[in-house]
Amino acid sequence: MASSILVTRRPPGTALDILSSAGSIDLWEPDEIMLRVELVRRVAEADAVYCMLTDHIDSELLDAAPRLRVVSNMAVGLDNIDLEACTSRGIAVGHTPGVLTEATADLAMALLLGAARRIGEGIDYVRAGSWGEFRLDLLLGQEVHSSTIGVVGMGRIGAAVARRAAGFGMSILYSGPSRKPAIEQELGAQHHRLDDLLRLADHVVITAPLTPETHHLISEDALRLMKPTATLTNVARGPLVDTAALVDALQNRLIASAALDVTDPEPLSSDHPLLSLPNCIVIPHLGSATLKTRAAMADLAARNVVLGLRGKPMEACANPEVYG
Ligand code: GLV
Ligand code: GLV
């Protein structure tokens, strides 16, 4: 019998063509997140699921999916997937590292620069018709060149951010569970405990994955360690930051500004306190949002399905132990 591949959102580019070489496609057509009840119902017949970061792949779902052998996330983050539950059932989990690293690092720099140089406030000011004569004291921000960046989580994306920062003449600090000797050698990056990084950095950029250990890593206490002139940029996952504590820190100017591509909750309602703060830029989870990168992610996730269904190692597998 041909394999059945459940696709929870129409992917861009050629992904569906790639998938159709490995089985029949059950596509959720509406241009919106697949309803949980539909996902649970339709996964019952699926040999593979091609899913988005908004689909929760948990034990309950897997219990409803007796045939499932492959889960392919069209994202690098895996916090929407219960990896252990997949592994214990022998289900291979694919994701999309590498292809989105540079695009996400570009966006991280855009946000860092935007927070430091008050780009959001500048846009608001001009749009509001407030632009009068040139003022020497208008919207003065923080230096980026020659300052110190603190990269929280030196994975692929963190390293790509650090390389860009080196181009701005920044000193590079990083935190995370493991030392990265190659980056230390290449960029002179220094590993620090998170507390020390927060005390020393002028611009803190979060690129760490969301895990139980990193949930609310940037807590009220953490924000209190930062310089009052510091900026905080998050391109990872919203729950790494305690949102209420961040609102408080921005309101009370414990830090200068923040720029968030990801939030907790996500999406934010239009009356959320974060959106009323002049010193906070929020954009709607756009880290990998370029035409080329999204197409590359869609194709990689599709190739992962094809290889997984053939029982071959995926190009990017999060639990290769299933191949035992
Ligand atoms: C996006 O956030 C991703 O994990 O790919
Ligand atoms: C993701 O690609 C990371 O390791 O940062």
Side-chain angles (χ1 to χ4, degrees):
M1 200 164 74
S3 295
S4 173
I5 305 165
L6 177 61
V7 179
T8 68
R9 192 82 176 248
R10 180 180 286 279
T14 53
L16 289 180
D17 298 330
I18 296 171
L19 289 171
S20 62
S21 72
S24 63
I25 294 173
D26 179 15
L27 174 66
W28 172 250
E29 287 279 3
D31 187 19
E32 56 194 38
I33 294 170
M34 191 172 185
L35 294 171
R36 176 76 180 180
V37 284
E38 282 293 323
L39 181 59
V40 172
R41 194 167 66 78
R42 284 157 74 160
V43 82
E45 302 295 320
D47 300 282
V49 59
Y50 181 103
C51 58
M52 307 295 129
L53 57 86
T54 41
D55 302 312
H56 294 283
I57 311 296
D58 50 22
S59 301
E60 182 203 35
L61 186 81
L62 298 176
D63 287 344
R67 290 169 50 166
L68 200 65
R69 286 180 287 138
V70 172
V71 170
S72 179
N73 210 30
M74 203 197 114
V76 67
L78 290 162
D79 47 288
N80 59 312
I81 295 174
D82 184 338
L83 199 57
E84 269 176 40
C86 289
T87 306
S88 69
R89 289 164 170 83
I91 297 170
V93 176
H95 64 141
T96 64
V99 292
L100 48 61
T101 302
E102 302 299 331
T104 306
D106 285 346
L107 193 81
M109 287 311 286
L111 289 175
L112 185 166
L113 289 161
R117 298 304 301 272
R118 308 177 64 175
I119 304 279
E121 289 167 89
I123 292 171
D124 290 347
Y125 183 84
V126 173
R127 290 220 167 129
S130 308
W131 195 5
E133 61 191 21
F134 180 81
R135 291 179 60 102
L136 283 176
D137 61 352
L138 183 62
L139 292 176
L140 304 184
Q142 307 300 325
E143 301 278 11
V144 174
H145 70 92
S146 313
S147 67
T148 298
I149 191 172
V151 179
V152 178
M154 189 60 93
R156 284 169 289 258
I157 296 168
V161 170
R163 286 193 189 95
R164 285 159 176 72
F168 279 81
M170 299 171 89
S171 306
I172 297 156
L173 313 180
Y174 73 100
S175 66
S178 56
R179 295 281 293 261
K180 304 289 164 133
I183 292 294
E184 293 187 14
Q185 205 157 16
E186 179 188 338
L187 303 174
Q190 292 175 13
H191 185 262
H192 282 282
R193 291 178 38 225
L194 178 64
D195 285 7
D196 292 329
L197 177 146
L198 294 170
R199 280 189 199 97
L200 294 167
D202 299 305
H203 303 289
V204 174
V205 179
I206 306 169
T207 64
L210 175 61
T211 64
E213 290 74 43
T214 62
H215 185 267
H216 283 194
L217 193 64
I218 305 300
S219 60
E220 183 184 340
D221 288 346
L223 289 159
R224 285 188 185 281
L225 295 175
M226 291 174 66
K227 299 181 185 182
T229 49
T231 72
L232 177 70
T233 293
N234 188 3
V235 293
R237 285 290 182 269
L240 277 107
V241 178
D242 179 338
T243 302
L246 178 62
V247 169
D248 185 67
L250 290 168
Q251 255 161 5
N252 296 304
R253 306 279 165 167
L254 297 182
I255 65 173
S257 54
L260 311 173
D261 183 41
V262 289
T263 58
D264 178 24
E266 200 169 295
L268 287 183
S269 61
S270 60
D271 61 354
H272 192 280
L274 274 178
L275 300 183
S276 65
L277 296 168
N279 53 345
C280 187
I281 294 173
V282 181
I283 57 170
H285 205 142
L286 299 175
S288 63
T290 71
L291 286 166
K292 222 170 145 175
T293 291
R294 282 283 161 79
M297 291 164 68
D299 282 5
L300 173 54
R303 295 196 302 275
N304 282 337
V305 169
V306 174
L307 289 166
L309 285 174
R310 292 190 181 139
K312 300 214 177 105
M314 294 172 168
E315 277 178 54
C317 184
N319 59 349
E321 59 269 33
V322 294
Y323 301 117

